[in-house]
Amino acid sequence: TLFSRLPSDLPASIVVAQHMPERFTRTFAERLERLGGVRVAELEDREPLRAGRAVVCPGGRCLELSAKGSAPWVRVVLPGPEDRYVPSGDRLFESAAAVFGIRTVGIILTGMGDDGTKGARAIKAAGGIVLAESEESAAIYGMPGSAVRAGVVDHSLSIPLLADHMVRLAMG
């Protein structure tokens, strides 16, 4: 639902850390691609971030953002002992906050556990925005609920409203 509401000319990049095992993330990315809107692919190694494009972390790995010169890059890395969840939303959010600072928008969707809460703190400390899926629309409110309880969420919205808010933020 979220991806089907995003325009193909979205002036932002999307990086997805979905808790899925290997072999499922490529199919997941292909399914999102078929919904239209932004281009979507599973990231294989590293590439520069591009507006109107989304990359999905391969299962069993993590993603980190970095700045090489003036262009931001996203790369696949092996999980470390500090990564309780793989792919790690916390690792992704912390690296995004370090690269983009106030321009970072982190979004936490349905899922078990508290992945994303620590990274959301980093986004907030950098002046960025954190959005979470509302309890009403989340199949499992663990991850978004953890971030809401931690006080690091700016807006808690249903999936359709999250998509609309993402577009408004990206369009400035």
Side-chain angles (χ1 to χ4, degrees):
T1 300
L2 189 137
F3 271 77
S4 68
R5 297 175 73 94
L6 301 177
S8 60
D9 63 346
L10 186 74
S13 300
I14 299 171
V15 182
V16 178
Q18 174 76 26
H19 297 163
M20 291 181 119
E22 293 180 61
R23 295 186 228 166
F24 287 90
T25 49
R26 183 173 306 277
T27 304
F28 176 65
E30 290 168 356
R31 183 170 157 226
L32 294 176
E33 168 79 14
R34 287 191 301 273
L35 294 174
V38 297
R39 305 277 322 263
V40 184
E42 181 185 54
L43 186 65
E44 294 187 24
D45 183 24
R46 68 182 194 105
E47 66 177 64
L49 291 176
R50 296 183 189 103
R53 178 145 158 88
V55 293
V56 174
C57 183
R61 301 287 188 267
C62 291
L63 291 179
E64 285 185 350
L65 285 94
S66 62
K68 301 268 186 189
S70 62
W73 286 75
V74 61
R75 65 188 176 114
V76 176
V77 296
L78 292 172
E82 71 282 3
D83 296 315
R84 294 183 0 208
Y85 304 97
V86 177
S88 172
D90 285 328
R91 183 188 281 224
L92 172 59
F93 284 176
E94 289 171 337
S95 66
V99 171
F100 291 105
I102 197 168
R103 298 180 304 149
T104 308
V105 177
I107 301 171
I108 303 172
L109 302 178
T110 190
M112 292 187 291
D114 62 356
D115 190 25
T117 299
K118 180 181 171 194
R121 280 190 188 98
I123 291 172
K124 294 303 297 172
I129 296 170
V130 177
L131 307 175
E133 183 175 2
S134 66
E135 187 170 10
E136 295 76 34
S137 70
I140 301 170
Y141 192 58
M143 289 170 47
S146 172
V148 167
R149 286 187 301 279
V152 293
V153 172
D154 294 288
H155 301 284
S156 184
L157 304 165
S158 67
I159 291 289
L161 294 177
L162 269 173
D164 295 345
H165 197 70
M166 284 174 61
V167 172
R168 279 194 304 276
L169 288 171
M171 298 293 191

